[in-house]
Amino acid sequence: MSVEDQQSSEDLEQEFDAETEPSVDEDTDAESAPATVPGPPTSVMSGERVAIKALEAKLLGGERRLRRREVAAGAGVSILSARKVWRALGFPNFGDEDVAFTERDQAALTRILDLVRAGLLTEEAAISVTRSIGQMTDRMVVWQVEALVEDMVSEQGIPDAVARKQLVAQLPALVDSLEEILVYSYRRQLNAGIQRLAVRAEAGLQASEEGREGDEDDSPLPLARAVGFADLVSYTSLSRRMNEKTLAQLVQRFENKCAEIISVGGGRLVKTVGDEVLYIAETPAAGAEISLALAQAFTEDEILPQCRVSMVWGRILSRLGDIYGPTVNLAARLTTLAQPGTVLVDAMTAAALGQDDRFVLVPQKSENVRGFGEIHPVMLARGRGKGLVLD
C-alpha cells in the first residue's frame, strides 16, 4: 500500500469512527454479546439440516469462514466502522470468535466503503442508503416467505409447520429468478423516481402553488404532493368475527386492490398499516382520481366493506421511505370524518380542483379538528369523464 493509500484509509477510518462511541473494544459492553451462530454439527446431519446448509451456502456465497475482524481488516477499516454498516443492514451483533461471514460479506462491505472513499457518498448518506436496503429487503423476505408458505398450505392441504420445512427444499429453484426480478424492479422503480424528480419537476412546481396563499403551516417543507388515506370501515368488528386465515385474505385483498389503483393512477403507495393505506400523487388531479377510484372500488367490492377516503394537497417532508408534515396529519384527520364510500378534501385542495370539470365539490359543515382548529371539509365526487380505467 502506498503512503497516499494508507493515509486515505486512515482518513476514512477516522471519518467513520468520529462518533461518541468509546474507542475501546466494544466486546466488553452488553450490546456486543456474541450472537448465536450455528456451530459445526457434532453428529451426522439429518437430511433437513443438510438442505439448510446447502441453501445457506448458495445464499451467502459459500460457507462461513471469516470472523468479523478478518472481514473488517480485509475491507481496510476498523471493527467500529464495519459494525456501523452491519447495523444499518440489520445484522445481529457477532463476537470476535464467531465464524459468521463469507468472502461475499467482505466484498459487500468493501463496495459500500468504496463509495465513501471515492467521494460519491458521505458517510451519513452511505449509512442511510444502506439502512434503506436492509429494512426494505428484510420486509420483502418476510412477505415472500409468508406468501409461499400460505400458498403451500392452501394448495397442498399441509400444516403450516410442514410447509415451512418443505419450503427449504423448494427455495433453491426460486432464488435466482427472484433475485433477477428484484434487480429488474429496482431499476424500473429508480427510473420512475428519476422521471418524477426531473422530467415532471416543472409541472409539479407550478401545481404546488395552486390554492395556496403562502402562509400555510406546511410552507417551509420541500415537496408538494397530494396525500391520501383509505381506511376500511368496520375493520375492528370484522376482525373479531373472522378466523386468522380469513382475516389475512381480507387484508391481502384490500392491499392488492389499493396497490393496483394507486399504481394505475400514477401515485405511490407509501405504506399500509392494518386496515389503512397511505399514498401520494404529484398533482391534485392525480390524487383526486386515485381517491375516487378507491372509494368506488370498495363500494362495488362483493367481499370487502366500504372505505373512507381523504386527500389533501400540500407540502411534505419525505424521509426513510415515509412522509411527514401537517398535510399528512390533516389527511389522517379527514379520514375519520368521511362517510363510508366517500372522499373528503380540505378547502385548499378544493380550491386547487375547483376549475376542473372532472370533479364535483360539495362543501360540508365545518368541523373542529384537534391540532387544526376549525376546518371546512369538502366532499369530492365524480364530474365529467370516466376516471381511472382499470384492466
Side-chain angles (χ1 to χ4, degrees):
M1 179 183 291
S2 67
V3 174
E4 290 80 9
D5 289 340
Q6 183 176 2
Q7 181 63 44
S8 175
S9 178
E10 290 174 353
D11 291 344
L12 176 69
E13 183 172 320
Q14 290 173 0
E15 178 184 3
F16 264 75
D17 294 349
E19 291 192 350
T20 57
E21 299 191 53
S23 59
V24 296
D25 192 323
E26 293 190 348
D27 289 344
T28 57
D29 62 24
E31 180 182 305
S32 59
T36 301
V37 178
T42 57
S43 60
V44 178
M45 290 192 292
S46 66
E48 179 183 336
R49 182 60 179 163
V50 169
I52 291 175
K53 291 290 287 183
L55 179 57
E56 179 179 275
K58 179 179 177 65
L59 294 175
L60 301 187
E63 291 187 17
R64 303 175 190 247
R65 300 180 184 277
L66 301 176
R67 296 172 174 82
R68 66 178 192 172
R69 290 194 180 278
E70 295 169 326
V71 176
V77 292
S78 68
I79 286 291
L80 179 59
S81 298
R83 287 180 62 193
K84 290 179 182 178
V85 176
W86 293 331
R87 283 176 178 174
L89 285 169
F91 293 0
N93 270 338
F94 295 107
D96 268 345
E97 300 307 314
D98 293 325
V99 182
F101 298 96
T102 70
E103 286 77 7
R104 185 176 290 177
D105 291 305
Q106 181 174 309
L109 178 62
T110 302
R111 180 66 61 88
I112 295 169
L113 298 177
D114 281 348
L115 293 173
V116 179
R117 290 180 173 125
L120 297 173
L121 294 176
T122 64
E123 176 198 346
E124 183 179 2
I127 294 299
S128 181
V129 169
T130 302
R131 183 172 289 115
S132 76
I133 295 171
Q135 291 186 3
M136 294 302 107
T137 51
D138 173 72
R139 183 170 185 261
M140 180 189 69
V141 166
V142 172
W143 186 334
Q144 291 177 350
V145 168
E146 295 303 327
L148 292 170
V149 168
E150 182 179 348
D151 184 67
M152 292 170 68
V153 170
S154 175
E155 294 299 314
Q156 301 177 31
I158 57 178
D160 184 277
V162 174
R164 293 178 187 277
K165 290 183 178 181
Q166 291 187 6
L167 181 59
V168 174
Q170 295 187 14
L171 278 175
L174 298 173
V175 169
D176 291 340
S177 296
L178 293 177
E179 184 176 6
E180 288 179 10
I181 295 170
L182 171 61
V183 175
Y184 161 77
S185 177
Y186 170 75
R187 289 180 175 272
R188 292 286 301 186
Q189 296 291 356
L190 182 59
N191 180 68
I194 292 170
Q195 299 301 315
R196 291 193 297 267
L197 178 68
V199 177
R200 287 178 276 179
E202 184 176 352
L205 288 173
Q206 293 174 354
S208 70
E209 301 307 319
E210 296 181 21
R212 304 177 64 86
E213 298 179 357
D215 58 353
E216 294 80 13
D217 291 340
D218 64 352
S219 292
L221 300 180
L223 298 176
R225 294 290 187 270
V227 178
F229 280 93
D231 182 19
L232 277 179
V233 175
S234 304
Y235 172 81
T236 302
S237 60
L238 283 172
S239 63
R240 290 171 179 168
R241 301 196 303 266
M242 293 180 176
N243 59 38
E244 182 178 330
K245 181 178 180 179
T246 305
L247 180 61
Q249 291 173 341
L250 182 146
V251 171
Q252 184 174 359
R253 184 181 179 92
F254 171 65
E255 291 184 356
N256 289 347
K257 182 159 289 192
C258 286
E260 178 185 9
I261 292 171
I262 293 166
S263 177
V264 170
R268 181 171 75 87
L269 196 160
V270 178
K271 63 181 178 181
T272 61
V273 183
D275 61 333
E276 187 173 63
V277 298
L278 169 62
Y279 56 95
I280 58 174
E282 294 179 21
T283 65
E289 291 285 15
I290 292 170
S291 301
L292 289 171
L294 287 169
Q296 180 180 350
F298 291 105
T299 297
E300 297 175 351
D301 193 283
E302 298 178 354
I303 298 176
L304 294 171
Q306 291 181 302
C307 66
R308 300 182 179 90
V309 185
S310 69
M311 193 272 287
V312 175
W313 173 248
R315 293 185 179 276
I316 61 170
L317 178 67
S318 178
R319 287 292 185 273
L320 305 176
D322 207 341
I323 58 174
Y324 306 89
T327 298
V328 183
N329 297 334
L330 178 56
R333 299 285 191 273
L334 282 175
T335 308
T336 64
L337 300 177
Q339 294 297 313
T342 67
V343 180
L344 280 187
V345 301
D346 68 322
M348 188 175 73
T349 305
L353 296 170
Q355 303 304 313
D356 195 325
D357 63 5
R358 291 174 294 176
F359 311 112
V360 173
L361 298 156
V362 183
Q364 308 292 294
K365 68 175 184 178
S366 299
E367 298 276 358
N368 282 308
V369 175
R370 180 169 56 88
F372 293 92
E374 186 178 45
I375 65 171
H376 303 280
V378 178
M379 187 175 71
L380 176 68
R382 168 63 53 200
R384 296 173 60 89
K386 298 180 180 179
L388 293 185
V389 178
L390 303 179
D391 293 337

